[in-house]
Amino acid sequence: MKIRSFFSVLIFFIVSGISYADDSVYQKHIALGISALEVNNYRDSADEFKAALIEHPDDHTATLYLGIAQSRSGNKEAGPSLKKALSLNPKNPRTNLELGIFYFNQSAFSEAKEHFNATKKLAPQTELSDMAEKYLRAMDQGGSGKPWSLLISLGGQYDTNVAIIPDDRPMPLGVSDKSDWRAVVYLKGKYTFISNKNLEGSAGYSLYQSLHSNLSDFNVSQHLFDLKGSYTVTPSLKLTGTYTFEYVYLGGDGYDYAHSISPSLTLSEGNGFSTVLEYRYQYSHFMNTELFTTNSFRTGSNNLAKITQIIPLRTSVAAKVGYAHDENAANKEYWDYSGDKFFAGLTFSLPHRMFLDLSGEYYSRDFEGISPASNSGRKDTSRTVSAALTKAYSNTLSITLAQLYTRNKSNIEDFDYKRGITSLFLNVRF
């Protein structure tokens, strides 16, 4: 009995040792395969993944990456490999995306569409779903992607506290407590002049035009030009750089213009998780107007650092949380400030092609110097919540109903305000 027990223990340790050795060999082949894949050495990459599968024949990771290497090299064996990977883990968004790309390249658009739609459901609001959406649009355009895109939004808003421009910049004195209806036209065009597996470059232009029912002096025309480039270093690392130039008219007069440069880094952790690190430098030049005779005092620069984490909660729910810190330096010291922003959001994919976006943020700013509106330094704390429900009738047409509420608390009465905006938009995308 003791002899049997001894041999049982001996066999256990021998088998365990073999298992650990197998895992070490397996991990080595996976690492070498990924390294070869990153430098487009598809043959060696496929050989390494095949070797990994000898150690673990039904391993999902090795099977998926083998299919990717075969697909990139144009090997038709990619189909069976990717199908096997899908059978091992049907809810993996990367597997669905790669199988969709394989079918797209084979002009099997019906099968490709099925897997691209699955990718969007499994990993909403991620790089994987963005890539799937690009292929879906290409199929809607006859199987070949157009280098340009255009979004047109037409709608109306009721604003309980009319602001100057459609962003979160500080409001000048005298704007608070003015409510009005307005019609809004928003156009956004993009032209992609470079697009391949690792590199993309584009130029864009957008126009925001508001037409108020009563407060025509606050009609805003915002023109925004941008240049954007991105480079995919590895499947898990993407670098992006953006330059923008913005010019704003208020009531037909020049109000401000701004240049900004923003590099960012996106880290994909897998299974829909990703982290975005961003820095932005912006220089804004404000011009005096009849309504705002000291507007030029705000001219200066802003430096911002931001981190955002994307978290897939379920196949139809994605969350994002983040933090940003910015430092503002202006012509007048009392417009200098340090700001800290915390934000979070949830996106729900609902039945019948409906999408619900919920978001909230907390933004605290400490201003330097003594404000001319008071004998003390200014401190603002802003809380904003928003909800937007979009119904998509097709990949081209959708309707959005949205509500936004902001409460800015300030120790200076002129900057203490509440604001609510109700919006209804018809969106057409080409």
Side-chain angles (χ1 to χ4, degrees), residues 114-184:
E114 176 184 347
H115 291 289
F116 289 139
N117 283 327
T119 302
K120 292 175 61 179
K121 290 181 179 179
L122 292 168
Q125 305 298 314
T126 65
E127 285 189 76
L128 298 178
S129 61
D130 289 345
M131 182 65 72
E133 181 64 30
K134 288 182 180 180
Y135 279 98
L136 287 169
R137 290 178 189 169
M139 285 186 286
D140 287 342
Q141 296 158 1
S144 59
K146 294 181 180 179
W148 58 268
S149 64
L150 176 64
L151 170 66
I152 304 174
S153 292
L154 305 173
Q157 293 181 324
Y158 178 74
D159 193 339
T160 64
N161 200 338
V162 176
I164 296 305
I165 51 179
D167 61 18
D168 59 0
R169 294 183 191 174
M171 298 188 349
L173 298 174
V175 179
S176 190
D177 298 327
K178 299 191 178 196
S179 61
D180 200 7
W181 292 91
R182 62 172 170 255
V184 175

Side-chain angles (χ1 to χ4, degrees), residues 162-406:
V162 176
I164 296 305
I165 51 179
D167 61 18
D168 59 0
R169 294 183 191 174
M171 298 188 349
L173 298 174
V175 179
S176 190
D177 298 327
K178 299 191 178 196
S179 61
D180 200 7
W181 292 91
R182 62 172 170 255
V184 175
V185 177
Y186 179 70
L187 306 175
K188 184 177 182 180
K190 176 183 174 182
Y191 179 77
T192 301
F193 51 84
I194 298 176
S195 181
N196 56 47
K197 187 170 65 70
N198 294 323
L199 184 64
E200 182 172 304
S202 64
Y205 165 75
S206 64
L207 167 68
Y208 172 95
Q209 177 66 59
S210 65
L211 299 170
H212 286 86
S213 176
N214 298 311
L215 303 173
S216 58
D217 286 340
F218 294 99
N219 289 345
V220 173
S221 297
Q222 180 195 44
H223 303 268
L224 182 68
F225 302 86
D226 69 83
L227 285 173
K228 184 176 181 179
S230 63
Y231 179 70
T232 302
V233 183
T234 71
S236 60
L237 177 61
K238 183 178 182 180
L239 302 177
T240 302
T242 305
Y243 164 77
T244 65
F245 174 73
E246 173 194 48
Y247 201 102
V248 176
Y249 293 89
L250 174 65
D253 297 325
Y255 181 79
D256 86 299
Y257 62 83
H259 300 269
S260 67
I261 298 174
S262 178
S264 66
L265 183 152
T266 301
L267 301 170
S268 299
E269 293 95 11
N271 296 322
F273 289 84
S274 62
T275 304
V276 182
L277 304 174
E278 179 183 356
Y279 167 76
R280 186 202 67 195
Y281 170 80
Q282 182 177 69
Y283 173 79
S284 300
H285 179 88
F286 292 88
M287 293 162 274
N288 294 330
T289 68
E290 291 184 7
L291 289 174
F292 306 107
T293 57
T294 62
N295 200 36
S296 60
F297 293 172
R298 300 164 59 195
T299 295
S301 61
N302 184 278
N303 288 273
L304 176 142
K306 181 179 178 181
I307 180 171
T308 305
Q309 178 67 49
I310 307 298
I311 307 169
L313 300 178
R314 299 175 59 185
T315 57
S316 59
V317 184
K320 69 175 181 180
V321 295
Y323 165 76
H325 176 82
D326 68 322
E327 297 281 343
N328 198 71
N331 281 347
K332 293 294 183 179
E333 187 180 21
Y334 54 81
W335 280 112
D336 295 352
Y337 67 83
S338 295
D340 293 285
K341 181 183 293 186
F342 299 88
F343 56 91
L346 287 170
T347 298
F348 300 85
S349 297
L350 305 176
H352 309 295
R353 302 192 70 175
M354 298 180 69
F355 305 90
L356 176 64
D357 291 290
L358 304 176
S359 64
E361 68 176 41
Y362 172 89
Y363 189 21
S364 175
R365 287 177 292 165
D366 289 333
F367 289 79
E368 300 180 11
I370 303 299
S371 171
S374 173
N375 292 324
S376 61
R378 175 183 163 195
K379 293 186 177 181
D380 283 20
T381 299
S382 177
R383 295 175 174 85
T384 300
V385 293
S386 66
L389 179 65
T390 299
K391 165 62 178 177
Y393 294 95
S394 67
N395 289 334
T396 301
L397 182 65
S398 66
I399 292 179
T400 299
L401 175 65
Q403 180 65 47
L404 177 144
Y405 177 78
T406 298

